[in-house]
Amino acid sequence: MVGTSMDHKLRHAARTYGGLLIMGVAAIPIGLIIGAIDAIFGRALLAIGSFRDAHLIFLLPFLALAGLAIAFCYKTWGKNTSRGMSLVFDVGHGREESISLRLVPLIMGGTWITHLFGGSAGREGVAVQIGATVSHWIGRKLPFKHPGNTFLLIGMAAGFAGLFRTPLAATVFALEVLVAGRLEYRALFPALIASLVASATSGALGLEKFEVALTATVSLDATGITRLAILGVVFGIVGGAFAWCLAHAKTLAGRLAPNPYVRIGVIGVALSILLFALWQGRYCGLGTNLISAAFANGATIYSWDWIAKFILTIVTLAAGYQGGEVTPLFSIGASLGIAISGLVGIDPLLCAALGYTATFGGATNTLLAPIFIGCEVFGFSYLPAFFIVCAVAYLFNMDKSIYTLQERA
């Protein structure tokens, strides 16, 4: 009797860990493929941004026409892929069965066009959608019984990791983003493997990782913790406000201009004028120029940079242009951190780093991902500061998320 029970336990363990090992092995080629796509997408996007900055006066006036081209492509060939991250979340929650592979070229091409002609948008949503689409499609071809949304999560993690080269943050981001307050632990091992492989692959193909070496010291006495908590409140509110404003801006734009051509055309003309009038394209593209300025001693960050980037990114995405929100959120948080560092008495570069991470967390309603991003980009020695600020930001973001279909536990 004892032997039978032991045999049953051994067989169960073999099935459990054997299946986990096989899933981890399957994650390796997925990470390779997604990392390679991320490298192509990311390097092309950076080259496009540099070309746009050098020829802005000739490209920005055609932003509206570029928007019409994007709308035409999605209306003609996109089917339901125009839903972007909402489609990914519906598949993750089991409300949709699949994501068409046509999403990959459409989202990549649409984002390249948006950035070429000066739209203020990001790139993370693109990478996550690419990863989710490719991995979920591969998972449906493999003979796994009842994998659920595991392959989707593997792809989301790999897409994030391949683009930002932060595999730990990418792993926990995929595990926690579908349902706020709950972690999808069953995907932990294969998601981590795919993230590490994707990050290494994109790095080997020339996609550089953004890193900053900080030298500031962090005081964790009562005064220091209070200052960090205040920053968390500010960054959490700003992140939550970004998510709230984005959702309402999209609703308002759709109600005022139901026709996608009219919507993107009219708003595109207004954006061209605004983006050029406001410091000749300072707020175009990803916002990496603001991030670089925030972490470069002697560079200029204006007190209004964060709010200008905040508004123009929301308008760009509400119009229907393609791209993500995270890199603009990084730039919003970093420039806001510089602007308020003197008020809270914290080193400006450290304050910018805390804003970089916590504003992202506040806008995505995630806790662990921003903490790990902070550690992987700025150093694990600052873990206590990132933990305090991101935890407070998570509590004060008004439970809002840029991912409107994110569920709550």
Side-chain angles (χ1 to χ4, degrees):
M1 194 73 179
V2 175
T4 302
S5 176
M6 182 62 69
D7 288 343
H8 175 73
K9 290 180 179 179
L10 289 174
R11 285 195 299 270
H12 177 71
R15 285 195 301 270
T16 300
Y17 291 102
L20 191 63
L21 181 60
I22 293 171
M23 190 75 77
V25 171
I28 295 174
I30 291 174
L32 285 169
I33 294 168
I34 295 172
I37 297 173
D38 274 351
I40 294 168
F41 168 70
R43 294 191 66 183
L45 190 60
L46 293 175
I48 285 169
S50 298
F51 181 83
R52 179 203 62 235
D53 291 343
H55 303 87
L56 184 69
I57 194 170
F58 302 108
L59 293 169
L60 192 53
F62 297 99
L63 180 59
L65 291 178
L68 292 174
I70 293 171
F72 174 79
C73 290
Y74 270 92
K75 195 168 183 65
T76 305
W77 299 294
K79 291 188 177 180
N80 65 345
T81 59
S82 61
R83 296 179 57 225
M85 286 297 294
S86 293
L87 176 59
V88 172
F89 272 70
D90 269 341
V91 172
H93 293 310
R95 293 188 289 264
E96 294 277 355
E97 291 188 1
S98 63
I99 309 173
S100 172
L101 283 178
R102 69 183 65 196
L103 179 146
V104 176
L106 283 170
I107 191 69
M108 288 175 67
T111 302
W112 285 337
I113 292 172
T114 296
H115 284 271
L116 177 61
F117 292 94
S120 176
R123 54 187 171 176
E124 134 284 336
V126 182
V128 171
Q129 288 176 59
I130 290 170
T133 301
V134 171
S135 181
H136 191 257
W137 183 84
I138 292 174
R140 287 166 60 87
K141 304 297 181 183
L142 297 176
F144 286 97
K145 290 184 178 180
H146 313 300
N149 61 8
T150 299
F151 279 98
L152 185 86
L153 299 177
I154 291 171
M156 293 173 70
F160 196 111
L163 189 63
F164 289 111
R165 308 280 317 283
T166 54
L168 302 183
T171 301
V172 294
F173 174 79
L175 299 187
E176 69 176 331
V177 74
L178 286 183
V179 182
R182 188 182 78 195
L183 288 171
E184 303 280 359
Y185 284 115
R186 66 184 178 280
L188 174 60
F189 178 66
L192 177 59
I193 295 298
S195 293
L196 291 169
V197 172
S199 178
T201 301
S202 62
L205 294 175
L207 191 61
E208 295 183 358
K209 177 185 177 182
F210 173 70
E211 292 180 285
V212 176
L214 300 177
T215 58
T217 57
V218 180
S219 175
L220 294 179
D221 58 13
T223 301
I225 292 174
T226 301
R227 289 171 174 171
L228 293 173
I230 291 171
L231 287 178
V233 173
V234 173
F235 296 140
I237 290 174
V238 170
F242 181 93
W244 186 89
C245 290
L246 179 60
H248 284 270
K250 287 181 176 180
T251 301
L252 180 62
R255 186 167 66 245
L256 295 178
N259 187 307
Y261 296 112
V262 173
R263 180 168 63 248
I264 205 165
V266 172
I267 297 178
V269 171
L271 278 170
S272 292
I273 296 170
L274 284 172
L275 287 166
F276 189 78
L278 297 173
W279 289 269
Q280 297 184 0
R282 181 176 177 86
Y283 306 110
C284 288
L286 295 166
T288 51
N289 59 320
L290 298 179
I291 295 171
S292 297
F295 294 105
N297 286 316
T300 300
I301 285 289
Y302 300 114
S303 58
W304 58 81
D305 276 337
W306 72 273
I307 189 65
K309 189 64 177 175
F310 182 110
I311 294 170
L312 290 167
T313 301
I314 286 172
V315 174
T316 298
L317 296 174
Y321 289 95
Q322 295 301 311
E325 302 91 353
V326 167
T327 305
L329 282 166
F330 288 157
S331 69
I332 291 165
S335 52
L336 175 59
I338 293 291
I340 66 174
S341 60
L343 298 176
V344 293
I346 290 181
D347 176 81
L349 297 189
L350 175 59
C351 202
L354 294 168
Y356 180 102
T357 58
T359 304
F360 155 71
T364 57
N365 204 20
T366 56
L367 171 62
L368 298 178
I371 294 172
F372 276 98
I373 283 177
C375 292
E376 290 186 274
V377 172
F378 302 104
F380 278 86
S381 61
Y382 293 94
L383 173 60
F386 288 122
F387 185 91
I388 293 169
V389 175
C390 292
V392 175
Y394 181 75
L395 295 174
F396 280 86
N397 82 324
M398 303 171 287
D399 202 27
K400 303 299 180 185
S401 176
I402 55 176
Y403 309 120
T404 56
L405 294 185
Q406 183 186 67
E407 295 183 355
R408 275 70 176 170

